[in-house]
Amino acid sequence: MRSKLVAGNWKMHGSRAAIQNLLASLKAELPAEPGTDVAVFPPSLYVADALVALSGSPVAVGAQNVCDQAAQGAFTGEVSAEMLADVGCRYAIVGHSERRALYGESSAVVAVKVQRCLNAGVVPILCVGETDEEREAGRTLDVVAEQLDAVMQTVAVGELSSLVVAYEPVWAIGTGKTASPEQAQDVHAFIRQRIAGYSEKLAAGVRILYGGSVKAANAAELFSQADIDGGLVGGASLDAQEFSAICRAAE
Ligand code: PEP
């Protein structure tokens, strides 16, 4: 039985004061023992504040990105997976579509980032998903397969037991357009089947999150699909009440 995970990606939003408020509201809104795994991903500068504010709470903290190069070294502006583990980050988002599109991250680089996370004991949340044009051209499954295969062919299957995949159709991110539960389920089932081609055991256990305009009003229906194991939530995770309602929908 896969436990559900709800992850809140705060992207580059907030200020120190706003994030302190959000953390305090989250602690007030979420039950002391949520019936689902919950994690938040603040901008990296505020990760330490979040770790302090959430210490002793069941809400984990993660990073939105990780360096592909090394554990230490002359890599200006970067943060390594080892550093994330050192301060207590449990997860890192890897290959978000904004990083693929705006910072030119290829699937090969994303695969190396997954490996770096695993080496350091950080759980990678690997984002995959097609653009509007790719869906219109009937290429959704090809695109997702390419993004997934890059990881499966780089990292030994035996090392991937903690991997989380997030299916995030790019056309649904921040647009208010959500994939229908059926559209999402079809791609999630494809992802699980594709992973089964490498390892059936891994496929049965891997958590596959849906991301793309998830909100309290659509979460329960999405999360009730057989292959949807929770959500990666952007905009709605900046509102503690809305995010808590999404977490409850996953229970
Ligand atoms: C995201 O950025 O990962 C995301 C899913 O954003 P939103 O929920 O705002 O669509």
Side-chain angles (χ1 to χ4, degrees):
M1 181 67 181
R2 298 180 295 271
S3 56
K4 287 211 167 27
L5 167 63
V6 179
N9 175 11
W10 295 352
K11 309 196 186 189
M12 196 175 74
H13 289 297
S15 61
R16 193 167 204 189
I19 280 177
Q20 293 288 5
N21 277 341
L22 180 53
L23 288 162
S25 310
L26 261 185
K27 275 177 40 174
E29 287 291 333
L30 283 169
E33 288 181 23
T36 183
D37 292 345
V38 180
V40 293
F41 296 75
S44 61
L45 201 57
Y46 305 125
V47 157
D49 283 354
L51 284 159
V52 171
L54 296 171
S55 78
S57 102
V59 181
V61 178
Q64 298 174 15
N65 185 31
V66 66
C67 179
D68 61 326
Q69 295 290 329
Q72 300 270 321
F75 303 103
T76 302
E78 293 290 311
V79 175
S80 70
E82 283 74 7
M83 291 170 173
L84 297 178
D86 184 34
V87 298
C89 279
R90 192 175 309 160
Y91 300 94
I93 296 171
V94 178
H96 191 280
S97 63
E98 286 152 15
R99 296 211 58 86
R100 291 182 192 258
L102 300 172
Y103 302 98
E105 282 189 14
S106 65
S107 292
V109 165
V110 171
V112 172
K113 290 186 174 199
V114 169
Q115 180 75 70
R116 293 244 167 246
C117 286
L118 295 168
N119 291 351
V122 172
V123 174
I125 301 184
L126 166 69
C127 299
V128 298
E130 81 288 1
T131 63
D132 207 8
E133 298 73 55
E134 289 162 343
R135 177 163 280 263
E136 288 303 313
R139 298 192 50 238
T140 296
L141 301 185
D142 291 343
V143 169
V144 168
E146 183 275 327
Q147 293 171 338
L148 205 53
D149 287 349
V151 171
M152 301 306 299
Q153 290 166 10
T154 300
V155 184
V157 157
E159 294 182 58
L160 284 166
S161 57
S162 69
L163 177 74
V164 176
V165 178
Y167 168 57
E168 298 209 303
V170 180
W171 48 270
I173 296 179
T175 59
K177 273 199 253 173
T178 315
S180 69
E182 296 73 26
Q183 275 175 324
Q185 167 58 25
D186 283 352
V187 182
H188 280 234
F190 171 78
I191 290 170
R192 201 175 299 287
Q193 191 189 22
R194 189 90 186 175
I195 294 174
Y198 296 90
S199 160
E200 289 197 3
K201 185 165 172 237
L202 179 62
V206 70
R207 294 192 284 187
I208 309 175
L209 314 184
Y210 169 78
S213 298
V214 174
K215 43 188 187 274
N218 59 25
E221 213 188 341
L222 284 161
F223 297 166
S224 67
Q225 301 298 307
D227 290 293
I228 300 186
D229 305 309
L232 179 52
V233 185
S237 69
L238 295 166
D239 178 320
Q241 270 189 352
E242 183 81 6
F243 186 65
S244 303
I246 294 170
C247 294
R248 283 196 298 278
E251 285 176 11

